[in-house]
Amino acid sequence: MSLIRWTPRRNGTELATISNEMDRLFDDLMTPRTPARRSGSLVPAVDVEETSDAYTFRADLPGVDAKDVKVSVTGDTLT
């Protein structure tokens, strides 16, 4: 699922509306296409803490139960 920025239309001229739509088009074109964005995956912000013997990763996932989260490490990739 991709998140798309919503811009409400305001009372104004038709030219302003077209300009806003063109801005949105170019914003979408200029945003880097990461593998996660192409696949529609959720990429939450993560806090990482490093200690001498471990790494701790914390992510806020509103509405998601911990039992529904699957974490795996393959080589140097955390999924």
Side-chain angles (χ1 to χ4, degrees):
M1 176 178 91
S2 296
L3 297 178
I4 300 172
R5 181 178 46 160
W6 178 71
T7 306
R9 295 179 189 230
R10 298 188 173 123
N11 292 335
T13 65
E14 194 170 322
L15 185 57
T17 301
I18 292 170
S19 175
N20 289 340
E21 292 298 324
M22 292 298 291
D23 288 344
R24 288 177 58 177
L25 171 67
F26 283 108
D27 285 346
D28 287 345
L29 289 174
M30 297 309 220
T31 303
R33 297 285 184 180
T34 61
R37 185 168 178 209
R38 283 192 296 268
S39 68
S41 299
L42 173 66
V43 182
V46 177
D47 290 329
V48 181
E49 181 182 336
E50 180 181 3
T51 62
S52 60
D53 60 335
Y55 292 96
T56 303
F57 295 85
R58 290 186 182 92
D60 288 330
L61 301 170
V64 178
D65 291 335
K67 65 179 171 123
D68 295 329
V69 177
K70 296 178 184 173
V71 178
S72 64
V73 177
T74 305
D76 61 353
T77 303
L78 175 73
T79 305

